[in-house]
Amino acid sequence: MTRETSIDELAKQLDESLNLDGKHASPEDTTATADEDNFLEELSDGKSTYSVPSAVGSLSSDDSSDDDIGRVKFIGPAPPLTVHRPSLPAGVTSIFANTASTIDSIAEMINSGSAKNIIVMAGAGISTDAGIPDFRSPGTGLYANLQKYRLPYPEAIFTIDYFRRKPKPFFVLAKELYPGQFVPTISHFFVKLLAKRGLLHRHYTQNIDCLERVAGVESDLIVEAHGSFHAAHCIGNKCRKEFPQDWVREKIFNDSIPHCDKCNSLVKPDITFFGEGLPARFFDLLEGDFASCDLLIVMGTSLQVHPFAALINEVQSTTPRLLINRERVGESKTRGMGFDFDGSFAGSMPHRDALVLGDCDEACLLLADRLGWTDELLGLRAAFIDKRKLEHI
């Protein structure tokens, strides 16, 4: 996606990526679309594991069984949307009334009011459909595309010591990633819809793209665990002067490295680099937030970066948790640590982890359908696109 891409083109790209018109983006895909049209209905009839025919790249697995999705490794775009059916050990109960389709049970929890303090944890996977590369997908992630900067190692571009010595690569990359160039995804608007309905307790994001803010989620509901472009400060230890986003943006887009007008130190967007502490807001809110959470939704993250990854363990032991992701991540190796999708470590505690494998936007559309929110969700996106069109007239 280039900065010259028009709003109409952006809308068309989003529609194609989501297959909202019922057609596949790839001309090579000849799979009949009748099955795809009926997938929501068949899930509701008890077919708990159903793969949507899709032109979403290839899958490779050590075992062709759909039940053994733990071994599935994907190459390229997301695998077909799959709702996992847990295989619970004998005697293990579940917090979900319908283990044949846990997504229905989660929708019922929300609609019934038993889940009304929802926390969403999100990673780069919710922003890839906006055209922003994620950080770790082989061959397509941001780290894989940084070789042109001739860095000593990919992560150096986000390392504070390297930035102090050679800031240029970061600001070149920042120009490509800067907010205002990308349209929020369906996943971002789903978070916005939770907020609009008064159900979003907090949105914890690893992303620095500010797309939650662009989608209309209020600042007080957002915790940007790794910072963002929303604000900027001088990095001088004795200065720390704050600079407005518009001033920093002008410097970056004029290919100028911003310096403090008070002490001449570098000015950096408030993105948390390696070697820096996380924002104080992250630590100030997490204990109270997660203690009161009654539904945790985790989307589009590898759960490899700590302390963010460990937050899934901070909710109460009976709080339901839903992972929406391209592959299984964050799973238990011992009781009480990580996800336990099949109740292997549940013991006397009820099974409480649900899993939807596939594209985050498609999964949010599925959950919105189950909630009866589809029109409202797509309406938020349509209103945003219409507003952007007016702004560019």
Side-chain angles (χ1 to χ4, degrees):
M1 183 182 296
T2 65
R3 284 183 289 279
E4 290 74 23
T5 303
S6 71
I7 293 300
D8 286 331
E9 289 170 332
L10 288 170
K12 181 179 178 182
Q13 289 170 16
L14 279 172
D15 285 340
E16 288 175 348
S17 70
L18 292 171
N19 298 326
L20 293 179
D21 59 359
K23 299 177 182 178
H24 296 303
S26 171
E28 298 177 1
D29 181 22
T30 58
T31 306
T33 59
D35 287 337
E36 185 175 1
D37 293 337
N38 295 327
F39 86 96
L40 293 172
E41 179 180 346
E42 295 199 15
L43 273 173
S44 66
D45 289 340
K47 297 184 178 180
S48 59
T49 302
Y50 187 90
S51 297
V52 183
S54 179
V56 291
S58 59
L59 283 166
S60 62
S61 174
D62 297 331
D63 188 323
S64 61
S65 168
D66 287 339
D67 292 332
D68 193 19
I69 57 178
R71 296 185 183 181
V72 172
K73 300 295 180 185
F74 62 90
I75 300 172
L81 196 64
T82 304
V83 178
H84 176 61
R85 179 179 60 190
S87 300
L88 300 179
V92 172
T93 60
S94 179
I95 201 170
F96 303 113
N98 181 7
T99 55
S101 184
T102 50
I103 200 79
D104 288 305
S105 292
I106 288 171
E108 175 58 28
M109 291 174 181
I110 297 173
N111 279 333
S112 68
S114 62
K116 55 189 177 184
N117 292 303
I118 300 171
I119 288 180
V120 177
M121 291 173 55
I126 74 167
S127 293
T128 51
D129 282 344
I132 300 175
D134 71 21
F135 284 76
R136 290 181 173 80
S137 292
T140 61
L142 184 57
Y143 286 169
N145 295 331
L146 292 177
Q147 296 182 16
K148 61 185 177 182
Y149 300 125
R150 297 182 179 179
L151 302 168
Y153 51 95
E155 294 87 348
I157 203 166
F158 293 118
T159 301
I160 190 62
D161 290 339
Y162 185 85
F163 174 79
R164 290 180 186 275
R165 290 184 286 111
K166 295 185 177 181
K168 182 65 174 178
F170 168 76
F171 286 113
V172 171
L173 181 65
K175 187 174 180 179
E176 297 181 18
L177 297 179
Y178 211 84
Q181 305 175 82
F182 304 97
V183 173
T185 67
I186 287 291
S187 300
H188 294 106
F189 285 112
F190 184 80
V191 177
K192 166 62 178 176
L193 184 52
L194 290 174
K196 180 183 176 185
R197 286 178 164 266
L199 299 170
L200 182 67
H201 186 65
R202 204 83 65 190
H203 177 63
Y204 282 72
T205 179
Q206 294 174 284
N207 300 333
I208 61 175
D209 51 40
C210 298
L211 284 178
E212 297 86 1
R213 295 175 183 269
V214 176
V217 180
E218 297 294 331
S219 296
D220 65 320
L221 292 174
I222 301 172
V223 174
E224 290 156 331
H226 297 161
S228 75
F229 285 98
H230 185 66
H233 285 83
C234 167
I235 66 171
N237 292 331
K238 295 182 179 180
C239 182
R240 299 296 297 165
K241 180 179 177 180
E242 183 173 359
F243 288 83
Q245 185 183 40
D246 289 344
W247 180 86
V248 177
R249 186 184 192 280
E250 182 179 358
K251 294 288 186 183
I252 290 174
F253 277 83
N254 286 330
D255 298 319
S256 174
I257 296 176
H259 285 83
C260 178
D261 58 8
K262 182 178 178 181
C263 72
N264 203 39
S265 295
L266 290 165
V267 174
K268 180 179 75 68
D270 288 352
I271 297 165
T272 303
F273 279 17
F274 295 108
E276 293 186 305
L278 270 62
R281 178 174 170 80
F282 175 84
F283 297 103
D284 291 344
L285 294 177
L286 73 86
E287 184 175 354
D289 281 353
F290 283 81
S292 59
C293 173
D294 50 27
L295 172 62
L296 178 65
I297 300 175
V298 182
M299 297 196 292
T301 172
S302 63
L303 290 179
Q304 292 182 6
V305 179
H306 290 268
F308 187 89
L311 295 182
I312 65 172
N313 300 314
E314 295 300 313
V315 295
Q316 301 293 328
S317 61
T318 55
T319 299
R321 304 182 296 188
L322 167 64
L323 173 66
I324 298 171
N325 207 46
R326 293 184 174 198
E327 61 183 344
R328 295 171 75 138
V329 296
E331 291 193 79
S332 300
K333 294 183 179 179
T334 183
R335 181 176 296 180
M337 299 297 293
F339 290 120
D340 184 11
F341 299 117
D342 291 300
S344 302
F345 301 101
S348 60
M349 300 298 295
H351 161 258
R352 47 83 173 256
D353 292 330
L355 171 66
V356 177
L357 286 179
D359 180 77
C360 290
D361 284 359
E362 290 185 4
C364 285
L365 285 167
L366 172 60
L367 183 52
D369 176 86
R370 288 294 187 259
L371 290 162
W373 297 357
T374 302
D375 290 345
E376 191 173 3
L377 175 59
L378 296 180
L380 285 175
R381 175 183 173 275
F384 179 89
I385 295 294
D386 289 344
K387 182 179 178 182
R388 280 291 183 93
K389 286 180 179 179
L390 291 173
E391 292 173 352
H392 284 75
I393 291 177

